[in-house]
Amino acid sequence: AQKITQTQPGMFVQEKEAVTLDCTYDTSDQSYGLFWYKQPSSGEMIFLIYQGSYDEQNATEGRYSLNFQKARKSANLVISASQLGDSAMYFCAMRETGAGSYQLTFGKGTKLSVIP
Amino acid sequence: DGGITQSPKYLFRKEGQNVTLSCEQNLNHDAMYWYRQDPGQGLRLIYYSQIVNDFQKGDIAEGYSVSREKKESFPLTVTSAQKNPTAFYLCASSSPVDSNQPQHFGDGTRLSIL
C-alpha cells in the first residue's frame, strides 16, 4: 500500500482564488511528521510547511496552511490568494520517526496551474 | 549562504560507463540523502547516510553506490549496472536531531544516456 497518496494529478485555479491539494497518508507510527514541498519547472524542491503528528493546531506559513485531520489521516495543503508563481508541482511527504530513521516518503505529486 | 551544491547540472553517460554526481553541503547537517525522480513521479530514495562513514540502502539502491568520507560530501556513482539511469537526481540533507526540520535540497542533476 502506498504510504502517501495524492489523488489529484493536476489542478487548475484562478489567480487570487484559494485551492486545496489533497494528501492522505498511511502509518502505524504514533510519531510522524508531514511536509509539503513545491517543485517549480526548474527542478529545485522548496519546503513549504510542516505538521507534526502531536501538533494540535493546524500549521500555517504565510499563504500556506495545512488542514490536518489525524483521524482521517489527511494533510491537505491550502494555498490562499493564488499567484501565477504558484504554478508548480506540489509534493506531500511523511517522515516516520518511530524507528529512529529520518527518511521521507513522497507522494507522486499534484501539478498546479494558476490561470490569469 | 548555507546550502547544498550539486554538480554537474546536466550529465551524459555512455553505455557501460560509471558516472559520479557530486553533492556538497555547508549546513553542518549530519544526514544526507540521494533521491531519483522520474518524469511525472515523486522522489524515490536511493541511499542515505546519517553519519560520516556510514550509509544505508534506500528503496532503489541497485546499480548505485555512495561514499561518505566527509560530513560535507555525499557523492553518488551511477554504475553500468544501472540499466535505466535517465532521471533527475536530487541530493538533500537534514539535521536528524531536529526531526521536525525539513530536508534541504540541492538544485538537482539531470542524467541522460548518450
Side-chain angles (χ1 to χ4, degrees):
Chain A
Q2 287 189 10
K3 289 197 171 185
I4 296 287
T5 302
Q6 295 181 252
T7 57
Q8 307 151 314
M11 289 278 288
F12 290 89
V13 64
Q14 204 77 35
E15 194 178 6
K16 300 180 185 177
E17 297 290 313
V19 63
T20 298
L21 307 183
D22 294 342
C23 173
T24 58
Y25 60 91
D26 183 26
T27 181
S28 56
D29 282 4
Q30 296 301 308
S31 175
Y32 53 89
L34 296 155
F35 299 80
W36 277 93
Y37 284 86
K38 171 184 178 181
Q39 186 180 42
S41 58
S42 51
E44 72 270 28
M45 296 287 283
I46 301 167
F47 166 69
L48 296 177
I49 196 166
Y50 165 83
Q51 180 84 42
S53 58
Y54 294 119
D55 294 341
E56 295 184 354
Q57 301 284 336
N58 284 343
T60 60
E61 289 287 348
R63 294 186 300 111
Y64 304 107
S65 62
L66 202 152
N67 183 1
F68 181 47
Q69 298 187 44
K70 194 170 181 177
R72 298 179 61 182
K73 293 188 175 179
S74 76
N76 299 338
L77 177 71
V78 180
I79 304 175
S80 63
S82 297
Q83 302 172 355
L84 296 178
D86 294 336
S87 293
M89 286 290 292
Y90 288 81
F91 292 96
C92 179
M94 177 173 64
R95 174 187 287 151
E96 296 168 283
T97 56
S101 168
Y102 297 92
Q103 302 175 55
L104 286 180
T105 302
F106 286 83
K108 293 189 175 183
T110 295
K111 183 175 183 179
L112 178 66
S113 300
V114 180
I115 305 166
Chain B
D1 287 337
I4 299 177
T5 301
Q6 288 188 242
S7 62
K9 194 172 181 68
Y10 299 95
L11 187 58
F12 298 91
R13 195 192 89 169
K14 295 180 180 178
E15 293 286 343
Q17 186 182 43
N18 293 352
V19 292
T20 297
L21 285 60
S22 170
C23 178
E24 303 277 332
Q25 56 101 356
N26 60 5
L27 299 167
N28 199 34
H29 285 164
D30 287 311
M32 297 187 73
Y33 312 82
W34 273 106
Y35 293 93
R36 170 180 172 140
Q37 186 179 27
D38 293 284
Q41 300 293 317
L43 280 64
R44 293 184 291 167
L45 183 65
I46 305 172
Y47 268 99
Y48 67 99
S49 168
Q50 296 193 147
I51 197 168
V52 174
N53 291 323
D54 184 58
F55 48 84
Q56 306 294 329
K57 292 182 179 180
D59 299 323
I60 54 166
E62 186 174 351
Y64 300 96
S65 66
V66 293
S67 62
R68 187 83 187 279
E69 297 176 1
K70 299 187 300 181
K71 187 175 184 178
E72 303 80 20
S73 178
F74 191 40
L76 174 74
T77 296
V78 184
T79 74
S80 57
Q82 173 49 248
K83 298 306 179 187
N84 184 23
T86 298
F88 187 53
Y89 292 86
L90 283 157
C91 178
S93 71
S94 70
S95 173
V97 174
D98 299 320
S99 62
N100 63 342
Q101 294 300 307
Q103 290 184 9
H104 297 260
F105 285 81
D107 289 343
T109 293
R110 294 192 185 275
L111 176 61
S112 302
I113 294 181
L114 281 177

